Every structure is written in C-alpha cells, then in structure tokens.
C-alpha cells in the first residue's frame, strides 16, 4: 500500500481489507464444516475443496496488498495442502482438517493483532505441520512491493514471561507415547489432564522426531512442584525446569498445528462496516426515487393551492399522504434488511470450538447446525458471540456424557449438540441443545443451597434457569477450559436481557437439555399497540400480544395477592398498568385486557384504552440508573410526547411485581388455552 496515501484514505482501505477478510474467513469456516464429511473418503468433495482454495487464495492476495506477510505465508501453505487434495495425492484426514481449522483461527488472530498493532502470532508450528503433511516445503509467495508496516513478530517466550510475572514457575514437560504406555492407559489425553491438575498449560506442541515417532512438549506454569514429579519418568514424561523465558524457544523439529491462544475478537471487521448485496442497494434507490416523485406531487398541490381560492384539495392530499406512507414503510423495511446479516457469521465458529474441546477429552461429539441463513441485525449478531459460545461449551462440558456413560445408558457413543436458528414473526429463535444427560433439578437445588442461593419450593424450568444464571453459580467443583467458573450463564442472561430478548430452558433427565433464545429481529423499529391508563400512555410490542379483550371489573379476582381473570377455560394472572407505575386505579366498569404470550408463559395486562397500532422507533435506555424491569426502552409519538415501551417478556415471566409485598407463597397458574 502506498505510504503517500492520506491517513483517511489508508483507514478507509484498511476497513475494506478487514471487511473482505472477515467475509473470506466466514466462507472458509462454512466450507470446513462441510469438508468434515469427506474424512476417510477416497476423494474429497471437489466443490468444497475448490471453495476453500479460492478463499484462501483471495485471502493471500489481500494480505499481500497490506503487507501482512504472516497471513500471506499461512494462506499459501493452506493452498498447497488443498492442491494436494485436488490432485488426489492425499485424502482428507482428521489431522488435515485440524490443520485447516487451526490455520483459519490463526489467520483471524493475525488480523486482530495487526489491527490492534500488537505482536503477530507465531505461525512456525502450523507451517511446519503443513510441510510434514504435504511432504515438501511450501513455496514462499513473492514479497509485497509496498506495504503498511506490520507489527514485530513476538517470540514464544512472551507467554512464559507473562506467567512468570504472575508468580508461576515454568516447567517443560515432554511426553513420548509408546504402545506399552498406551496399554496402561497413559496417552496424551491423560498426560494433559495430569498436567492441568498441577498447573496451567501455557503451550502444547507436538514434535515430529523422525522414524515415525512423535513427542508432545508441554510448557506448564506451576505454583509449587508436584511431590511425585520424579516418578513421572516411568510414564514417559520428562520434566525440566525452565531457567528463563528465552530458554524455552521451540526446538528445531517442526511443531504441530494446534496452539491454544486467547480467542480472537468476535469480528475482525469494524462494527460500523456492513457488506451489502447490490440488489438491496438497488431497492433503496428505487424507493428513494418514489419519495422524490411524491415530494414533487406535494409541491404541485401546494402550487395549485396558492393559485386557487379553494385552497388544498383534501382528496389529492390524502392520496399523496398514502403514497408517501407506503414508500416510507418500504424504505424502513429496506434499510432494516441492509442491517441484517446471517447468523452463520457466528454459527460457523462453533464447530471449531467443539473440535478443540473434543481434542482435550475423550468425548465424541458432532455439532449440527440448522438455519444458518436466518438473518438478524448486525449489532445483535456481534453481541451474541459470547452467549452462544458459553452455551455450546456448557452443553459439551455439562450435558454430553463420556462414551462409557452413553454406552451404559444405551445411547450411541457419539453425542450431538445442535444449534438452530429460525425466524418467527418479528423475532428470531436460537436454540442450543444436546442429547446428553439433562439437568438434575435436585442436584442443582443442593448446590444452590450450599452456595447460599435461594431455592423456591416449586423448582420448575423457569426457576431452574434463574438459579443456573445466578452469578457465581456452578455445578462444578473444579473449573476446566469449557466451564465451571460460574460466569458463563450469567453472561448469557445479562446479554440476552440487554438486547430486549428472553431465554427459556427445557430439560429432561437422561434425554438432554435445550436453551431457547428469543430475540427481536432488529432493535431499531417495532410495531406496537399504544395503550393508556390513568393518563399514562405506553407502547407494547405487537409480537407479544395475542388477543385484546373487553373485561368487566367484577370478573377480576384476587388470590394470594395475585389478580386473576377468566380466560377461555382457565385463569390468567393479570397486571394493571396503573399498578405497574404506582398510579391511582381508575373506577371503570369495563377495561381492556391485552393477552400477552412469550416463551416464559402467558399473562394479561389491564389498561383503560387501546388507542391503536403504531410503528415506533425504539430508543434503548442505556443509563443503568434508568433501567427498570418491565421497560425495554422509550419512543416519541408524532405529537412529540415521549412514551415508555413495555417489555412483554418480563411481564409474562413474573419478574415485574407491582406489589412490593413478599410473594413467596404465590402459587403458579397454568393457562388452559382450550379450543
């Protein structure tokens, strides 16, 4: 890239590079998931391999433009392996797929580091592994002519320095597997588990020793030396103290592919950049043209009125207004579609997570993805990366059993974790589930009681979910790389609530668990009902309202401080809008009842009047001091009045309590929806 370019132009070009790089990585991840089906087959799917080759090649090209040499070399090495596949010289193996997945993860880390002007991650291990797999050294790509300055590559001693600063003593442990050790149950997985129990594994790198032999080198930070470390030699483990960070540089033998590094940022492209299909821009141009025509017609009406003593023609104005309103609605929908991106941007990352976890354990798990093309607002997709990551890791760690447990339960040894997305009206449902052991409510109750978390008498799915999402709660005594720290589900709960969504739980002991996230399609605009009571006007999203009924005051009954109204063949718990805002109740013989429904159940909202439907712009309340359960935001009506937008998910979950008195003895009610 020409250094004479202005900083503004360089920034714009780099933004394009980040956005295009993310697009290629997304396609690479999607293709790698499909390539897994070719493992062990005589011939890989040529269309998938070609898609991978094309995207790695394009990624190499754009990396050369900005002088990102490490990414260029790694993409080139990936091309070499894919070329071997296309020529039939090798077949897709699990090790080869792991290498390609590792390369995709490393490319993302390289760009994140480049964007943050941080040290470039080390790629020597991956390059050496590609060389071993292909049987020849990768051809080095031609150097870029002009480039932006790249960050200095960091040596592998950086992790050891950081660990030493935290007071850890660094040990290098080398394990050479043999058939005799494997027969005794000593293998790389058991060694890794042993080292994890006594310290923190900073790096794990296999080494090719030649003559078909391989060794595994672990760099481990320990707070104290294990008492039995001298006896590890009997299990093929040699341990030596690392005197300094510099002394732990990697050996000359080629190191293997998978190096565990901190997760990259959710997205490498800037948040303000959205790649838009040209057809959607054409649609915006068409609607803009219609608005210009409507404005011209309106100008003509004003001109005629100024020349005529009769003034404006109401009928003509109504026609212009109707056409204007229709075009504005189309414009709003088109702009919303521009902001929508497929959830595949985060779904495609999860197979990498599951494969990494499976590599660390003996569990056999297949991740099934459905509805990847379901579209969601870009802002929501970016915020959902961490919650979905926590849910998938929890499903693997807590839900999926070992092969031995599954055999004993007469289940297939390979468990399944599924990730589904679907559009339902103005909402998107995302489901994360497994066919594992399920959640034992009594075990959760015992853990919660031991940790001082209140446990209700009726431990239904809703109450169970609240315990699981409590900050610091975990059913594990010891944390591992997947779960056990007591923060994951709290992050899921808080993030989904901040996004105006809801989360529900279904579980059956021995059969599995499913979490369902319901999220608004977009946070920008919503169809609402405008309601009022005691002079207070509010809006409630139309997606939560299933029916609007008239209700007589004498039909409302109170049981244990909970108001109930007859609904079909059952009873419906109701909340008065006046009680919600602590307003004086109006003495009316008739009320309007809005029947609300969400994944959490059904309830009713009693108001004095429903003024009609209105499309409103949702303004989130960002100030923590202004955030109140039951209120999802605010908007402004056409007359300039600000009104609050009610949160239907909270109103149906029992979170909002108009009465400040204790409600521990409030019974739960099942709504019979009858025929």
């Amino acid at each position: 890239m020409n250094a004479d370019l202005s900083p503004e132009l360089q920034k714009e070009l780099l933004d394009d590079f980040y956005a295009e790089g993310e697009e290629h990585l997304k396609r690479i991840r999607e293709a790698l998931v499909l390539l897994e089906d070719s493992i062990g087959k005589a011939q890989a799917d040529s269309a998938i391999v070609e898609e991978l080759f094309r995207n790695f090649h394009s990624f190499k090209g754009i990396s050369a433009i900005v002088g990102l040499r490490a990414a260029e070399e790694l993409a080139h090495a990936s091309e070499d392996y894919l070329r071997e596949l296309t020529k039939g010289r090798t077949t897709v193996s699990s090790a080869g797929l792991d290498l390609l997945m590792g390369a995709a993860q490393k490319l993302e880390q390289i760009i994140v580091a480049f964007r943050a002007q941080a040290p470039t991650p080390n790629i020597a291990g991956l390059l050496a592994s590609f060389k071993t797999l292909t049987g020849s050294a990768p051809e080095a790509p031609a150097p870029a002519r002009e480039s932006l300055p790249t960050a200095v590559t960091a040596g592998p001693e950086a992790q050891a320095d950081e660990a030493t600063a935290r007071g850890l003593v660094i040990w290098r442990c080398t394990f050479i597997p043999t058939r005799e050790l494997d027969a005794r149950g000593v293998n790389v997985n058991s060694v890794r588990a042993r080292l994890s129990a006594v310290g923190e594994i900073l790096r794990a790198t296999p080494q090719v020793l030649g003559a078909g032999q391989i060794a595994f080198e672990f760099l481990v930070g320990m707070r104290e030396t294990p008492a039995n470390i001298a006896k590890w030699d009997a299990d093929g483990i040699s341990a030596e103290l690392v005197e300094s960070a510099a002394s732990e540089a990697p050996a000359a033998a080629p190191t293997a592919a998978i190096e565990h590094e901190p997760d990259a940022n959710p997205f490498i492209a800037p948040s303000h950049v959205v790649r838009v299909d040209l057809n959607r821009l054409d649609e915006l141009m068409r609607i803009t043209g219609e608005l210009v025509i409507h404005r011209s017609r309106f100008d003509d009406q004003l001109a005629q009125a100024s020349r005529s003593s009769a003034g404006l023609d109401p009928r003509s104005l109504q026609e212009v207004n109707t056409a204007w309103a229709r075009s504005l609605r189309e414009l709003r929908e088109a702009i919303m579609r521009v902001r929508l991106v497929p959830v595949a941007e985060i779904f495609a990352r999860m197979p990498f997570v599951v494969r990494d976890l499976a590599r660390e354990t003996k569990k056999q798990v297949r991740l099934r993805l459905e509805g990847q093309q379901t579209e969601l607002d870009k802002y929501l997709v970016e915020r959902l990366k961490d919650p979905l990551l926590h849910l998938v890791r929890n499903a693997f760690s807590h839900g999926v059993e070992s092969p031995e447990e599954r055999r004993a339960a007469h289940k297939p040894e390979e468990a399944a974790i599924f990730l589904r997305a679907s559009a339902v009206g103005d909402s998107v449902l995302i489901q994360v589930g497994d066919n594992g052991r399920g959640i034992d409510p009594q075990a959760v109750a015992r853990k919660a009681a031991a940790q001082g978390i209140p446990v209700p008498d009726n431990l239904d799915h809703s109450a169970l979910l609240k315990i699981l999402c409590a900050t610091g709660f975990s059913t594990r005594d010891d944390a591992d790389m997947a779960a056990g720290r007591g923060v994951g589900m709290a992050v899921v709960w808080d993030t989904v609530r901040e996004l105006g969504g809801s989360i529900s739980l279904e579980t059956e002991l021995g059969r599995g668990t499913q979490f369902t996230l319901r999220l608004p399609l977009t946070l920008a605009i919503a169809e609402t009902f405008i309601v009022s009571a005691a002079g207070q006007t509010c809006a409630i999203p139309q997606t939560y309202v299933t029916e609007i009924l008239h209700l007589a005051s004498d039909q409302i009954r109170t049981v244990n401080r909970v108001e109930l109204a007859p609904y079909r063949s059952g009873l419906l718990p109701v909340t008065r809008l006046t009680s919600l805002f602590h307003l004086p109740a109006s003495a009316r013989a008739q009320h309007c009842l809005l029947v609300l429904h969400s994944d959490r159940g059904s309830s009713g909202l009693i108001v004095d009047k429903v003024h009609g439907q209105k499309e409103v712009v949702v303004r989130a309340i960002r100030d923590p001091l202004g955030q109140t359960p039951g209120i999802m935001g605010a908007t402004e009506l056409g007359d300039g009045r600000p009104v609050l937008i009610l949160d239907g998910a909270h109103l149906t979950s029992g979170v909002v309590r108009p009465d400040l008195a204790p409600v521990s003895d409030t019974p739960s009610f099942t709504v019979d929806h009858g025929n």
Side-chain angles (χ1 to χ4, degrees):
M1 188 176 291
N2 194 330
D4 295 332
L5 296 176
S6 66
E8 292 79 10
L9 186 54
Q10 284 201 17
K11 182 181 183 303
E12 183 178 342
L13 293 176
L14 280 176
D15 283 349
D16 290 341
F17 163 68
Y18 297 137
E20 189 171 350
E22 185 172 274
E23 182 70 20
H24 287 307
L25 284 175
K26 179 175 77 74
R27 292 174 180 170
I28 287 171
R29 285 189 288 263
E30 292 173 351
L32 287 175
V33 173
L34 300 176
L35 188 65
E36 190 170 12
D37 292 334
S38 296
I39 292 179
K41 294 183 179 179
Q43 185 67 39
D45 190 309
S46 58
I48 298 174
V49 175
E50 179 62 29
E51 174 75 6
L52 283 168
F53 188 93
R54 184 167 54 250
N55 281 282
F56 273 113
H57 182 77
S58 299
F59 198 98
K60 180 179 73 174
I62 62 175
S63 298
I65 292 174
V66 299
L68 201 49
R69 180 72 174 178
E72 188 182 359
E73 291 180 352
L74 187 53
H76 188 80
S78 303
E79 279 185 288
D80 283 344
Y81 173 61
L82 292 168
R83 189 180 291 112
E84 296 295 309
L85 291 177
T86 57
K87 293 181 178 180
R89 295 174 183 169
T90 186
T91 59
V92 179
S93 63
S94 181
L97 185 61
D98 284 346
L99 266 181
L100 290 173
M101 286 187 167
Q105 289 175 308
K106 188 68 70 175
L107 288 173
E108 185 175 34
Q109 293 168 6
I110 290 171
I111 296 184
V112 170
F114 175 71
R115 185 179 175 191
Q117 293 297 303
T120 304
N122 184 22
I123 62 170
L126 280 166
L127 293 179
S129 296
F130 272 120
K131 176 182 176 180
T132 302
L133 204 61
T134 56
S136 62
E139 177 188 352
R145 289 169 293 182
E146 294 186 12
S147 63
L148 292 177
T150 56
V152 179
T153 302
E157 65 273 8
Q159 279 184 308
D161 286 341
E162 189 272 336
T164 303
R166 290 190 283 122
L168 299 180
V169 178
I170 311 303
W171 287 79
R172 183 190 293 110
C173 301
T174 305
F175 171 65
I176 301 177
T178 64
R179 292 183 178 179
E180 292 76 13
L181 291 174
D182 187 70
R184 290 167 44 202
V186 181
N187 52 43
V188 65
N189 289 327
S190 65
V191 170
R192 184 185 293 273
R194 179 187 302 187
L195 296 177
S196 297
V198 298
E200 176 183 341
I201 297 180
L202 305 176
R203 197 185 65 204
T205 55
Q207 296 179 341
V208 179
L209 303 179
Q213 203 171 25
I214 191 170
F216 296 89
E217 182 181 280
F218 298 91
L219 198 68
V220 186
M222 304 183 190
R223 295 206 174 272
E224 56 184 33
T225 303
N228 63 342
I229 194 170
K231 300 179 180 179
W232 287 5
D233 285 336
D235 292 332
I237 307 170
S238 61
E240 59 176 325
L241 188 64
V242 177
E243 297 294 337
S244 64
S247 65
E248 68 87 27
T255 55
I258 307 305
E259 299 177 10
H260 294 288
E261 297 198 9
D263 290 338
N265 288 343
F267 297 91
I268 60 178
S271 297
H272 64 273
V273 175
V274 180
R275 293 175 67 84
V276 181
D277 185 87
L278 186 59
N279 291 330
R280 293 187 175 182
L281 293 180
D282 290 340
E283 180 72 5
L284 286 174
M285 289 297 296
R286 180 191 66 79
I287 298 171
T288 303
E290 289 184 357
L291 288 172
V292 172
I293 294 173
H294 300 330
R295 172 62 187 271
S296 178
R297 289 182 60 192
F298 185 64
D299 285 343
D300 289 344
Q301 293 289 330
L302 291 177
Q304 292 177 15
S306 64
R307 294 192 300 266
S308 172
S309 59
L312 294 171
D313 182 3
R315 183 178 301 174
S316 299
L317 281 179
Q318 184 61 40
E319 291 177 359
V320 173
N321 182 61
T322 302
W324 216 331
R326 182 180 62 251
S327 294
L328 283 174
R329 176 181 289 273
E330 291 180 356
L331 180 63
R332 187 265 293 181
E333 293 175 350
I335 291 175
M336 186 184 72
R337 285 194 294 271
V338 167
R339 292 178 56 96
L340 298 181
V341 295
V343 296
E345 292 197 5
I346 44 177
F347 274 25
R349 299 168 184 266
M350 299 308 160
F352 294 69
V353 176
V354 172
R355 285 186 70 88
D356 283 346
L357 293 173
R359 191 182 298 112
E360 301 293 330
T361 66
K362 296 181 179 179
K363 294 180 179 180
Q364 301 176 24
V365 183
R366 177 175 292 271
L367 179 65
R368 298 174 181 172
L369 304 178
E370 299 178 21
Q372 294 189 72
Q373 297 310 311
T374 303
E375 292 186 316
L376 196 59
D377 191 282
K378 178 177 172 64
Y379 173 76
L380 295 175
V381 169
E382 290 182 348
R383 293 292 309 277
L384 280 176
K385 187 258 184 180
D386 283 340
L388 291 184
L389 184 62
H390 286 302
L391 288 174
V392 170
R393 283 177 168 172
N394 275 357
F396 187 98
S397 179
H398 296 290
V400 173
E401 314 98 325
S402 66
E404 294 78 14
E405 289 180 86
R406 293 184 66 82
R407 281 198 303 270
H410 306 290
K411 294 182 179 181
E413 290 188 8
E414 184 180 74
I417 296 176
F418 59 84
L419 193 53
R420 302 190 186 113
S422 59
V424 181
D426 292 335
S427 301
V428 169
L429 291 183
I430 297 180
Q431 298 171 320
V432 182
D434 61 78
N435 62 352
R437 59 173 61 94
I439 300 175
D440 184 353
Q442 300 308 317
V444 171
R446 288 192 296 270
K447 279 284 186 179
Q451 297 177 27
I453 298 174
V455 179
D457 295 333
N458 181 25
L459 195 59
D460 57 9
H461 284 168
S462 178
L464 187 63
L465 177 64
K466 290 180 182 178
I467 293 176
L468 295 175
C469 294
T471 302
F473 176 79
S474 176
T475 56
R476 286 280 187 85
D477 294 323
D478 300 312
D480 59 17
M481 67 178 294
R485 294 171 179 82
V487 296
M489 289 305 300
V491 169
V492 175
W493 177 276
D494 293 340
T495 303
V496 171
R497 285 303 186 192
E498 288 174 10
L499 296 177
S502 62
I503 178 172
S504 60
L505 166 69
E506 294 179 23
T507 185
E508 184 177 347
L509 203 57
R511 297 290 298 276
T513 301
Q514 174 178 291
F515 291 91
T516 300
L517 280 59
R518 178 184 288 271
L519 297 153
L521 191 64
T522 178
L523 297 180
I525 298 176
E527 292 280 358
T528 65
F529 285 107
I530 305 299
V531 300
S532 65
Q536 175 68 52
T537 302
C538 292
I540 184 165
Q542 185 177 325
T543 53
Y544 291 108
V545 181
T546 58
E547 292 181 67
I548 300 178
L549 309 171
H550 287 290
L551 183 69
S553 296
D554 57 8
Q555 291 181 284
I556 303 173
R557 295 287 184 269
T558 301
V559 179
N560 291 342
R561 299 189 301 280
V562 175
E563 288 193 305
L564 304 171
Y567 177 61
R568 298 189 181 178
S569 57
L571 293 173
L572 186 70
V574 298
T575 299
R576 297 176 186 264
L577 186 60
T578 52
S579 300
L580 188 62
F581 291 104
H582 303 286
L583 299 172
S586 55
R588 298 172 61 93
Q590 290 283 332
H591 300 277
C592 290
L593 174 66
L594 281 72
V595 180
L596 311 179
H597 182 74
S598 74
D599 292 333
R600 295 181 167 275
S602 297
S603 68
L605 179 67
I606 297 176
V607 301
D608 292 346
K609 187 175 181 180
V610 177
H611 298 274
Q613 296 174 262
K614 195 171 187 65
E615 199 173 62
V616 301
V617 178
V618 180
R619 306 293 186 190
I621 300 175
R622 303 295 183 190
D623 187 347
L625 297 177
Q627 293 177 345
T628 304
I631 306 298
M632 65 178 294
T635 190
E636 184 178 329
L637 300 181
D639 57 6
R641 288 183 299 154
V643 299
L644 297 174
I645 303 175
L646 303 178
D647 185 351
H650 279 270
L651 291 172
T652 55
S653 66
V655 174
V656 177
R657 298 288 187 185
D659 186 359
L660 298 180
V663 291
S664 58
D665 58 342
T666 300
S668 61
F669 295 92
T670 301
V671 178
D672 184 356
H673 289 283
N675 294 320

